Amino acid sequence: MRKELKNINEQRKTFIGIFERRGIKNGFKKQEETVLLIDIRDLENNMIAQHLWFNLTKGFEKLELKHGDKVQFDAKVKKYQKGYLGRREDVYKSVCTDYKLSHPTKLKKL
């Protein structure tokens, strides 16, 4: 669990992260591109998360990020259920609550 994010749940704040790479995830009907940011910190330089995945939004796309670029953005802290929530008995991944940064806005490359 990301304990630092738990302490600021439902708050919107400014963060800085380092672009690592793009990725792909399976969406509802198609595959969706994603962005991996590492070493996420707040403006006071407190470590918030080692890494977080975001959807590749138009805001991220416009930045034309390269490996190692620093990105500043505003986002809201949200909690979510992590693990397998399906009905198959042969799949076991325990369910727990974790925290993420949601709806990144005001993106800019530093």
Side-chain angles (χ1 to χ4, degrees):
M1 180 189 349
R2 298 177 175 112
K3 294 176 185 174
E4 294 77 12
L5 289 176
K6 180 180 181 180
N7 296 332
I8 55 174
N9 188 29
E10 294 298 323
Q11 294 181 34
R12 186 163 197 78
K13 292 191 171 258
T14 303
F15 302 94
I16 297 173
I18 299 171
F19 175 72
E20 181 70 13
R21 66 182 175 92
R22 286 185 176 197
I24 294 177
K25 70 176 182 177
N26 290 324
F28 178 64
K29 292 187 178 184
K30 62 180 181 170
Q31 290 187 327
E32 298 176 13
E33 286 192 82
T34 56
V35 173
L36 174 61
L37 296 182
I38 60 170
D39 194 30
I40 316 295
R41 297 178 179 268
D42 62 13
L43 290 180
E44 290 81 37
N45 206 31
N46 298 316
M47 179 68 126
I48 298 298
Q50 289 180 350
H51 74 279
L52 288 170
W53 286 95
F54 295 90
N55 289 334
L56 179 65
T57 62
K58 288 180 183 177
F60 278 116
E61 214 163 10
K62 285 180 187 175
L63 295 179
E64 298 179 0
L65 296 169
K66 294 176 182 56
H67 182 271
D69 285 345
K70 280 192 173 185
V71 181
Q72 180 176 316
F73 60 97
D74 290 357
K76 186 173 184 177
V77 178
K78 295 279 212 170
K79 69 178 174 179
Y80 71 99
Q81 294 298 313
K82 180 177 174 179
Y84 181 67
L85 299 169
R87 299 174 192 252
R88 289 180 43 188
E89 292 182 20
D90 60 327
V91 176
Y92 180 74
K93 284 191 175 182
S94 60
V95 178
C96 63
T97 299
D98 205 354
Y99 296 84
K100 65 180 180 177
L101 295 178
S102 179
H103 296 87
T105 58
K106 300 181 184 174
L107 292 129
K108 66 179 178 181
K109 193 177 347 180
L110 301 178

